[in-house]
Amino acid sequence: MTAASGAPTVKCLVWDLDDTLWDGVVLEGDDPEPFPAALETLAELDRRGILHAAAGRGERSVTGRHLAERGLAEWFCAVRVGWGAKSASVRRIAKALNIGLDTIAFVDNDPVERAEVASELPMVRCYRAAEVGQLPELAEFRPEHITAEATGRRRLYQTEWQRHEAEEEFTEGRQAFLDSLGLVMEVRPATEEDLSRASELTVRTHQLNSTGLTYGIDELRRLSASPDHQVLLARLRDRFGDYGIIGLSVTELIGRDSVLRLMLMSCRVASRGAGSVLLDHLIRRALADGRRPVAHFTPTEANRNLLVTMRFAGYATTAGEQDRLVLAVDPRRPQGKAPGHTRVIVGAERPARETTQEARPR
């Protein structure tokens, strides 16, 4: 077993199939049944919102038929079967699901396969097939919160796989594909029912997180009730279905500044330009309230793309404080055109706090 100390919670467990998920080898003419411990782990991790994928050896059609006949196919968001390196399959699965390799775990009965994955992808945690039944007890497989969104995560990613296949078949260019999706983003204040999901987002999201801050439910509840703060959630849907709650922003009102303390976006929707859409909405909202849009940003290896997105949205660096940047939008400059591929719907909001005090020094 390998598990990096302090590593993020596992988002996806990638399974070897023969002699790991089931007792036998399909291509050798076996009709293997799944191990009972494997079935229990599949169900329990799925309940917690942890995804399952498969990286097996063999023929895709034969393996796919066996998965379907045994009623196992519905558990998996991505299946890669072939004769190449398992590390390459794991890498492709992470790319298809748009999640970081450091949130992937891999289980295989073959020590050579585990060693190959560990060598090529050291950030991926590897486990022996004999440990399958114990995986739900490990800390890295225990998300802090288990929400309604978490228990439905598998279906969200299966729908995303349908989008992925549709995009591969689309021949008119990326922008035309985005336009064809009919994307709609709803932005609204967080409610009591949303707090678990909002807190979960701050813990799980690393690539598209502006400051890396995490908020517990009690802190989010306090901020949501504060007249000096705005806690907004973003939900996204398209013609394929609902992505669920995919974005969060926490803004503090200081003098005439609207200070974005945290903006994050689920990596599932990074390719949909959702970060640009939410940022554009937050900037326009602040300007409409007569405030200067300001944002704090903590650079990391994982969130570089978000900083680029913020600069394109109009934020420019005004100061640096240790490991933190302070960015601002010049209210005197004309706001650029809003992203055209997504329609934004604004939910009921508490009126912004009126203030006449002078802005604090930045």
Side-chain angles (χ1 to χ4, degrees):
M1 177 187 304
T2 61
S5 177
T9 302
V10 170
K11 291 184 179 180
C12 178
L13 176 61
V14 179
W15 295 71
D16 170 52
L17 298 174
D18 294 331
D19 293 324
T20 298
L21 177 62
W22 48 57
D23 188 10
V25 180
V26 172
L27 275 186
E28 293 181 357
D30 297 337
D31 185 20
E33 295 188 5
F35 291 107
L39 290 177
E40 292 176 6
T41 295
L42 280 169
E44 178 56 26
L45 296 188
D46 179 77
R47 186 187 70 83
R48 299 178 189 181
I50 296 174
L51 308 174
H52 297 291
R57 295 213 176 276
E59 298 296 334
R60 173 64 186 267
S61 60
V62 176
T63 301
R65 183 166 59 250
H66 189 70
L67 283 166
E69 289 173 350
R70 288 293 179 179
L72 299 168
E74 65 179 28
W75 292 110
F76 293 91
C77 297
V79 177
R80 299 286 185 181
V81 177
W83 301 105
K86 288 286 182 71
S87 62
S89 294
V90 172
R91 193 186 299 274
R92 286 195 293 268
I93 287 167
K95 183 178 180 180
L97 299 181
N98 201 19
I99 58 179
L101 285 164
D102 62 342
T103 66
I104 296 279
F106 175 68
V107 60
D108 198 307
N109 68 299
D110 189 334
V112 175
E113 301 282 22
R114 296 196 304 273
E116 190 273 331
V117 170
S119 175
E120 294 296 320
L121 304 173
M123 68 291 290
V124 172
R125 287 158 278 187
C126 299
Y127 305 88
R128 296 180 294 116
E131 298 170 318
V132 160
Q134 288 75 52
L135 295 185
E137 303 304 318
L138 301 180
E140 56 265 36
F141 290 92
R142 288 184 167 274
E144 184 176 356
H145 302 294
I146 300 175
T147 66
E149 289 273 348
T151 57
R153 186 164 289 124
R154 165 168 50 102
R155 293 175 181 81
L156 291 174
Y157 275 87
Q158 287 171 337
T159 302
E160 183 58 27
W161 184 251
Q162 295 174 12
R163 296 182 179 104
H164 176 74
E165 291 185 321
E167 184 171 7
E168 286 190 339
E169 297 171 359
F170 201 84
T171 60
E172 299 178 28
R174 172 148 188 80
Q175 187 58 51
F177 175 71
L178 289 176
D179 293 340
S180 76
L181 288 175
L183 288 158
V184 177
M185 179 183 289
E186 179 190 11
V187 182
R188 59 175 174 78
T191 65
E192 181 67 28
E193 292 74 20
D194 299 322
L195 295 182
S196 290
R197 171 57 176 162
S199 178
E200 180 192 40
L201 273 173
T202 72
V203 173
R204 292 176 62 93
T205 305
H206 303 278
Q207 295 180 3
L208 299 178
N209 186 321
S210 61
T211 55
L213 295 174
T214 60
Y215 290 98
I217 292 176
D218 290 340
E219 178 70 1
L220 285 171
R221 182 180 293 114
R222 183 186 68 80
L223 294 175
S224 297
S226 167
D228 296 322
H229 292 82
Q230 297 166 340
V231 180
L232 300 178
L233 290 177
R235 190 178 192 102
L236 193 67
R237 67 177 186 268
D238 66 12
R239 62 185 173 90
F240 288 95
D242 193 349
Y243 293 81
I245 294 173
I246 46 78
L248 169 71
S249 68
V250 178
T251 301
E252 183 177 5
L253 307 179
I254 303 177
R256 301 308 304 177
D257 286 348
S258 177
V259 183
L260 187 60
R261 297 292 188 186
L262 172 68
M263 199 286 280
L264 58 83
M265 187 65 57
S266 170
C267 52
R268 288 189 295 114
V269 296
S271 64
R272 303 294 179 253
S276 297
V277 174
L278 181 57
L279 280 171
D280 180 81
H281 171 76
L282 294 173
I283 291 171
R284 292 179 186 279
R285 170 194 174 109
L287 293 174
D289 289 341
R291 300 180 185 276
R292 182 179 68 141
V294 176
H296 291 175
F297 190 89
T298 302
T300 68
E301 288 295 321
N303 69 4
R304 288 179 176 177
N305 287 341
L306 181 56
L307 181 58
V308 173
T309 300
M310 295 181 76
R311 294 196 187 283
F312 272 112
Y315 285 100
T317 302
T318 62
E321 302 175 3
Q322 296 180 347
D323 60 348
R324 186 185 68 177
L325 300 176
V326 179
L327 313 172
V329 174
D330 186 347
R332 297 167 296 181
R333 294 185 59 183
Q335 183 65 11
K337 185 179 179 181
H341 63 278
T342 302
R343 181 164 61 95
V344 177
I345 297 174
V346 179
E349 301 181 3
R350 183 178 67 240
R353 176 177 63 85
E354 293 295 333
T355 180
T356 58
Q357 68 185 56
E358 294 297 323
R360 300 177 188 176
R362 304 308 305 151

